[in-house]
Amino acid sequence: MTALVLVVLTRPDNIGEWRMESPAIAAVKIVIATVILDTYQYWMHRWMHVNRALYRAFHRVHHELTVPFAFGALYNHPVEGFLMDTIGGALPSLILNMHPWTSAIFYSMSTLKTVDDHCGYAWAWSPASLFNANGAKYHDIHHWGKGRMYNFAQPYYTFWDHWMGTEYEGAMQRKKLAREAENVKDAKASLSFREFTPTYSDDDEPDTDKVASSAAAAAAGRKMKAAIRAAGSAAAADAAAAAAFLPSKPAGAGIRKRGRKSSIAEDKAGTTSSAELVDDSGNDAGSPERSKHSTAVSTEGALRSSKRVQNKKRI
């Protein structure tokens, strides 16, 4: 129909001189016409999707076909049919000054290609599959849910989708890689946060209160360690002083078994009392009161031991 309209509108005055191009020139014009048609169809089709008003008013009718079939290729709103199909087919013919027969061949090829794209079958023997991936499988994705914003190119090539990033498979792969990169970035950030040690630069001012409290805690810890060492040294000195007051055991002295056990028990009691770190009054082992008390206990223990030895000699 478009070819007939163009014939009427563009026929020359001398119709007899209007000759069809040679086969080679006609083939070249048809190839160029497919590129022009694809460019026009891509941008008009994409505009119909991006502009919500146009989509709801016109292009939504065509997308009622969630499972396309051959006769649904041209199932669309009349306004859309005129803008995309009629004008889209007429522009290459006018630009390239095609002969009506060349235009008719071009229109027939484009119509058959559109029907093939919507037939729902990816024919292995289809001539269209020999040139590119734009076929029924490619265009079916465009009629699915989230694929509606991808695969705009039709009816011949897919180069506009690849150039503009609207080819479905490539877009999904890029999104997957972006998600993986984001996950790796989040994992590195989490690891860096756990291993982060705060440092101060020349421009930063540290918290003086926190620094002072940390220094005070360290000083208190050092004092406590020194006090514990001093207490241990004092206890060792008391034990040595108590041992100095004890007389040596006389050789060959006959001691009864019962008296011997009691003597050993009293000696242990005296030594233990002198080695205690804290006395009954709660004084520290390193204090003067504790030292006097330990010395007195040690002296008393030594006197008791001396008396026991004298009693044993009398016996």
Side-chain angles (χ1 to χ4, degrees), residues 94-168:
L94 294 174
I95 293 173
L96 298 173
N97 192 23
M98 287 182 175
H99 189 272
W101 284 110
T102 308
S103 298
I105 294 173
F106 171 65
Y107 299 149
S108 299
M109 289 176 52
S110 301
T111 302
L112 291 174
K113 183 63 173 65
T114 303
V115 171
D116 181 73
D117 291 345
H118 290 81
C119 73
Y121 293 95
W123 303 110
W125 47 264
S126 174
S129 63
L130 301 177
F131 300 101
N132 53 60
N134 196 342
K137 182 179 178 181
Y138 187 85
H139 195 68
D140 275 1
I141 296 174
H142 178 71
H143 281 265
W144 295 348
K146 62 180 181 181
R148 190 170 296 178
M149 298 303 293
Y150 301 94
N151 293 12
F152 296 117
Q154 61 178 18
Y156 289 102
Y157 311 110
T158 60
F159 61 87
W160 278 113
D161 276 325
H162 288 284
W163 290 350
M164 304 309 297
T166 54
E167 191 267 326
Y168 179 80

Side-chain angles (χ1 to χ4, degrees), residues 268-292:
K268 289 182 178 181
T271 304
T272 302
S273 63
S274 65
E276 290 178 348
L277 296 178
V278 181
D279 61 8
D280 296 336
S281 61
N283 294 324
D284 226 9
S287 62
E289 292 80 0
R290 174 58 185 158
S291 299
K292 293 179 182 180

Side-chain angles (χ1 to χ4, degrees), residues 32-311:
I32 297 174
T34 59
V35 176
I36 296 174
L37 176 61
D38 262 40
T39 302
Y40 178 84
Q41 289 273 10
Y42 175 85
W43 291 107
M44 284 297 295
H45 190 191
R46 184 172 177 175
W47 185 36
M48 288 282 185
H49 279 271
V50 174
N51 190 308
R52 298 180 65 87
L54 290 176
Y55 181 83
R56 291 175 179 175
F58 307 118
H59 195 53
R60 178 181 58 84
V61 176
H62 181 67
H63 274 274
E64 291 176 358
L65 303 176
T66 56
V67 181
F69 58 97
F71 288 103
L74 300 177
Y75 175 76
N76 48 32
H77 195 280
V79 174
E80 179 186 349
F82 177 77
L83 291 175
M84 295 188 67
D85 299 326
T86 304
I87 295 180
L91 279 178
S93 297
L94 294 174
I95 293 173
L96 298 173
N97 192 23
M98 287 182 175
H99 189 272
W101 284 110
T102 308
S103 298
I105 294 173
F106 171 65
Y107 299 149
S108 299
M109 289 176 52
S110 301
T111 302
L112 291 174
K113 183 63 173 65
T114 303
V115 171
D116 181 73
D117 291 345
H118 290 81
C119 73
Y121 293 95
W123 303 110
W125 47 264
S126 174
S129 63
L130 301 177
F131 300 101
N132 53 60
N134 196 342
K137 182 179 178 181
Y138 187 85
H139 195 68
D140 275 1
I141 296 174
H142 178 71
H143 281 265
W144 295 348
K146 62 180 181 181
R148 190 170 296 178
M149 298 303 293
Y150 301 94
N151 293 12
F152 296 117
Q154 61 178 18
Y156 289 102
Y157 311 110
T158 60
F159 61 87
W160 278 113
D161 276 325
H162 288 284
W163 290 350
M164 304 309 297
T166 54
E167 191 267 326
Y168 179 80
E169 296 294 340
M172 294 301 105
Q173 185 66 21
R174 288 191 296 272
K175 286 186 177 181
K176 180 181 178 181
L177 294 176
R179 286 195 299 268
E180 292 177 354
E182 189 67 22
N183 293 336
V184 171
K185 183 179 178 181
D186 293 342
K188 288 183 178 179
S190 177
L191 182 62
S192 300
F193 178 79
R194 290 196 299 267
E195 295 179 351
F196 175 72
T197 302
T199 56
Y200 298 108
S201 63
D202 296 337
D203 299 332
D204 296 333
E205 294 185 0
D207 192 341
T208 55
D209 295 337
K210 291 184 178 179
V211 174
S213 62
S214 300
R222 290 194 295 270
K223 289 181 180 179
M224 184 178 295
K225 290 181 180 179
I228 293 173
R229 287 195 296 269
S233 300
D238 292 343
F245 281 96
L246 294 177
S248 59
K249 179 179 178 182
I255 303 175
R256 291 185 299 179
K257 186 175 182 180
R258 182 177 179 182
R260 189 175 184 181
K261 289 183 178 180
S262 62
S263 175
I264 293 173
E266 291 176 359
D267 290 343
K268 289 182 178 181
T271 304
T272 302
S273 63
S274 65
E276 290 178 348
L277 296 178
V278 181
D279 61 8
D280 296 336
S281 61
N283 294 324
D284 226 9
S287 62
E289 292 80 0
R290 174 58 185 158
S291 299
K292 293 179 182 180
H293 178 70
S294 300
T295 303
V297 172
S298 301
T299 305
E300 184 178 354
L303 292 176
R304 287 200 302 268
S305 300
S306 178
K307 289 181 180 180
R308 284 198 300 273
V309 172
Q310 292 177 2
N311 292 332

